[in-house]
Amino acid sequence: MDDNWIVENLEGAFATWNSRLTEIWSLVSETPQHFKGGAIWALCQNINTALQAIGYGLLILFFAVSIFRSTANFQDFRRPEQALRYFIRFVAAKTAVTYGMDIMATLFTICGGIVSTVAGNLGNLTGASVTLPEELKTAIDEVGFLASIPLWLVTILGSVFITVLSFVMILTVYSRFFRLYMYTALAPIPLSTFAGDVTSNTGRTFIKSYLGVCMEGAVIVLACMIFSAFVSGGSPGIADPDASAVTMVWSYLAETIFNMLVLVGLVKGADRIVKEMMAL
């Protein structure tokens, strides 16, 4: 850290931002089974197992309703193809409820492979780290006490804004993990709807929504790549080296915060992007 309070404040805000980027990198490459030591996944397994009994009850109910709604009389079951169709539907629905955890873990693994492929092109988030330029540090160090007062205000506002953006971003990424756990824990209920012709659309919507949450990881990684390109290819610079330190800091923070807003916007809009892309 620099001895100058203004420089220390800015570098502290950038350190917070960079640490949140590193945390995002670890989250998108993490699996729900190993996140936080697997304790949350174990809890979801217990809830899923407890709800299977309810899922089986609903499965039978939806299956019976489907038969009564779509079959004029039970003479239709004398046709082998009709009976076989209902039998396959019932077995498939029961399998989905029984092995829902395994099915959803497999779907996450498939989507995780896509995320890994995208992330492999990025390597790491070192290129996306934000640092304070040396020429800006020098300009700030040369400012007198009275002239530095406006800099304090600009620095405080910029640091607070950067810190807020970093926590908004990481909370969005964490919320994805919690949604994955919620989908997994409550899976027996919506998966039981596959037993009925009328209710099966609910099960399909559930699977598509779960796939959408899994695919958000790929969008988040792509967003980090875009931000990395912003920082490395068009990184904020000092527009006029001869300008006052206040103007230089204000210009640099404005452009840096704009780039950060791009990333936060993309991360927060990951669910909407996935829904539009996959017509979910």
Side-chain angles (χ1 to χ4, degrees):
M1 284 289 186
D2 194 277
D3 292 335
N4 190 297
W5 180 87
I6 297 174
V7 174
E8 286 185 357
N9 195 30
L10 288 175
E11 289 184 334
F14 290 154
T16 301
W17 173 265
N18 294 334
S19 65
R20 297 290 81 80
L21 280 179
T22 303
E23 193 171 357
I24 287 176
W25 178 252
S26 64
L27 286 174
V28 296
S29 58
E30 185 72 273
T31 61
Q33 295 93 323
H34 299 96
F35 181 67
K36 297 298 183 182
I40 306 178
W41 183 258
L43 175 63
C44 290
Q45 283 183 314
N46 293 334
I47 296 174
N48 185 284
T49 302
L51 290 178
Q52 281 184 8
I54 299 176
Y56 290 140
L58 291 174
L59 184 151
I60 295 173
L61 175 62
F62 295 143
F63 182 71
V65 170
S66 177
I67 290 178
F68 285 116
R69 285 179 62 92
S70 59
T71 306
N73 54 70
F74 288 98
Q75 296 297 324
D76 293 341
F77 284 96
R78 292 185 176 182
R79 294 185 297 168
E81 66 277 10
Q82 183 78 347
L84 181 62
R85 183 172 71 87
Y86 279 102
F87 176 75
I88 292 175
R89 176 180 289 277
F90 181 83
V91 171
K94 184 180 183 302
T95 301
V97 173
T98 304
Y99 301 101
M101 291 285 292
D102 296 329
I103 293 172
M104 299 183 76
T106 301
L107 291 176
F108 182 85
T109 301
I110 295 172
C111 294
I114 298 175
V115 175
S116 299
T117 301
V118 175
N121 294 319
L122 181 59
N124 53 56
L125 293 179
T126 303
S129 299
V130 180
T131 57
L132 195 64
E134 290 297 328
E135 56 266 40
L136 197 57
K137 292 182 183 179
T138 302
I140 294 174
D141 287 335
E142 293 176 352
V143 174
F145 176 76
L146 291 179
S148 67
I149 295 177
L151 273 178
W152 294 350
L153 179 60
V154 172
T155 301
I156 291 173
L157 291 176
S159 298
V160 169
F161 204 78
I162 291 171
T163 303
V164 170
L165 285 178
S166 65
F167 280 102
V168 168
M169 180 175 61
I170 196 63
L171 285 174
T172 303
V173 178
Y174 265 104
S175 70
R176 169 179 173 264
F177 256 98
F178 284 107
R179 280 182 289 153
L180 287 173
Y181 288 127
M182 290 177 184
Y183 273 87
T184 305
L186 301 176
I189 306 301
L191 290 178
S192 66
T193 61
F194 279 117
D197 289 327
V198 179
T199 57
S200 61
N201 186 57
T202 300
R204 289 193 293 269
T205 301
F206 171 77
I207 293 296
K208 290 194 295 183
S209 298
Y210 179 74
L211 285 173
V213 176
C214 293
M215 285 300 297
E216 286 180 26
V219 176
I220 291 171
V221 171
L222 284 172
C224 291
M225 294 177 68
I226 293 172
F227 179 76
S228 179
F230 262 71
V231 172
S232 59
S235 59
I238 308 303
D240 184 6
D242 297 326
S244 65
V246 176
T247 302
M248 293 169 63
V249 172
W250 178 257
S251 176
Y252 177 80
L253 285 179
E255 192 172 350
T256 300
I257 290 174
F258 172 79
N259 292 346
M260 291 176 174
L261 282 171
V262 171
L263 177 57
V264 175
L266 289 172
V267 170
K268 285 190 66 64
D271 57 339
R272 178 180 55 81
I273 294 173
V274 171
K275 290 177 181 178
E276 293 176 352
M277 187 184 305
M278 302 179 65
L280 298 179

